[in-house]
């Protein structure tokens, strides 16, 4: 199962950027958001229910 580090590496961004895209609390450019979301889908990332 993929984690946020895997998504960040796949997208070529930081873990913080992945977190910001998922949480929606900070601005991320639409282009970068698209890249991260594509990586999330490609890796079938799902947030941990425990976290």
């Amino acid at each position: 199962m993929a984690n946020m580090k895997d998504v960040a590496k796949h997208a070529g961004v930081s873990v913080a950027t992945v977190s910001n895209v998922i949480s929606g609390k900070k601005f991320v450019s639409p282009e970068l958001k698209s890249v991260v979301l594509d990586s999330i889908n490609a890796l079938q990332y799902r947030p941990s229910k425990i976290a």
Side-chain angles (χ1 to χ4, degrees):
M1 187 152 125
N3 59 36
M4 285 178 56
K5 282 185 179 182
D6 297 330
V7 173
K9 185 174 182 179
H10 187 268
V13 299
S14 69
V15 174
T17 300
V18 175
S19 178
N20 289 336
V21 168
I22 292 169
S23 71
K25 292 183 180 180
K26 291 193 177 181
F27 176 78
V28 178
S29 72
E31 296 84 9
L32 198 53
K33 186 175 183 177
S34 177
V35 169
V36 172
L37 292 175
D38 288 345
S39 292
I40 287 171
N41 289 329
L43 298 175
Q44 299 178 346
Y45 168 76
R46 300 288 175 258
S48 171
K49 292 178 183 177
I50 297 170

